[in-house]
Amino acid sequence: MTTQTAVTSSFIPPLQGTVVAAYGKRFQVELTDGKKRISCVTRGKKTDLACGDIVTIKLTDKHEGVVETTLPRKTLLYRSNAFKSKMLAANVTQIIIVLATQPSFYEALLNRCLIAAEAANIKALIVLNKCDLADNDDAKQKLALYTALGYQVISLSAKEDISSLRPYLQDEASILVGQSGMGKSTIINALLPNEAVRTREVSHVLDSGKHTTTAAHLYHLDEYSQLIDSPGLQEFGLHHLSTDELEHAFVEFRPFLGKCRFNNCKHLQEPDCAITEAVAANKITAERLAIYKMLRLEIKH
């Protein structure tokens, strides 16, 4: 009887929480009550966790623990090249792609982010930041294509007024992505001034931003809204997508898929291709078809 009592009293059930920061092989887990955060590692070499993951942990000390299990994810956003993949966020409902009028943004990176969002069934919002700067007509003209495709595009200056973004964050689990220097940290500072996210001056010499965020962090905007800030991106590989997933991720392709002469049409140079014909009829832009062709060859090789 005494032995059984001792065994029972020593058993501590696993605790549940959310990964709110990811630093390589170490993760910060906020317990479900929101009052305590535990610094955790994973068992063995397993590190396939992302901000937003719901996990169970076992305490190894008062403020230390080990991740036992990961609960099933509703969504997972990640990027991959030919050699490795990088998880960006789990259980998000929205990806916010932050661009800026200066430094100039990579339109190819924007397309890759949109394709990843479509493939993961996550809605996308495009934010054009730094619109207080005088020369922003070119950036706005570039984004007209994406408005025509049905994507929501909003313009703002995070240093002056963030109010136009707030309604889009309500009741959403969002992740901010984009190149360094686009103003993601400035947006976080404007939304959560007490978080004191570090920002740095943009390097005008290189026409690219300096990295300021070295780890992904999840912030609570209110009881029902979360925002994940991710490290600045310079590339966004899509090697994890199949060619079928890739073509379906181009929203304007969807009405024409399955209508080509050949069932296995690659939409590259085959005769009687419905996608190519749609380009000729100005229903799909030549620019987007060129991006598709480039990405298809990239993920195949």
Side-chain angles (χ1 to χ4, degrees), residues 158-202:
K159 286 187 175 180
E160 295 183 357
D161 185 10
I162 203 73
S163 60
S164 61
L165 177 60
R166 291 185 186 276
Y168 295 95
L169 301 174
Q170 194 64 41
D171 301 328
E172 301 283 357
S174 306
I175 177 172
L176 292 178
V177 300
Q179 296 164 234
S180 296
M182 297 292 106
K184 298 190 308 298
S185 294
T186 305
I187 289 173
I188 295 287
N189 278 333
L191 293 168
L192 297 157
N194 294 331
E195 294 290 350
V197 178
R198 293 177 299 126
T199 56
R200 295 177 183 171
E201 292 297 317
V202 173

Side-chain angles (χ1 to χ4, degrees), residues 77-78 88 94-99 105-127 142-153 177-178 233 236-238 240-241 245-252 254 288 291 295:
L77 182 69
Y78 68 107
L88 299 178
Q94 176 174 246
I95 176 173
I96 301 175
I97 305 162
V98 182
L99 311 174
F105 62 84
Y106 304 145
E107 199 168 351
L109 185 63
L110 166 61
N111 278 280
R112 288 169 180 266
C113 291
L114 291 173
I115 290 160
E118 292 289 344
N121 198 27
I122 301 169
K123 65 182 174 183
L125 171 68
I126 301 170
V127 171
K142 281 183 181 180
L143 295 181
L145 164 62
Y146 304 95
T147 303
L149 290 174
Y151 291 108
Q152 187 72 47
V153 179
V177 300
L233 298 172
F236 202 117
L238 298 168
H240 56 285
L241 299 185
E245 288 172 326
L246 176 66
E247 65 180 22
H248 194 264
F250 283 77
V251 291
E252 69 272 43
R254 292 172 188 171
R288 287 272 285 181
I291 290 166
L295 290 174

Side-chain angles (χ1 to χ4, degrees), residues 226-243:
Q226 297 87 41
L227 184 63
I228 295 174
D229 186 24
S230 63
L233 298 172
Q234 298 302 327
E235 60 179 356
F236 202 117
L238 298 168
H239 281 251
H240 56 285
L241 299 185
S242 68
T243 51

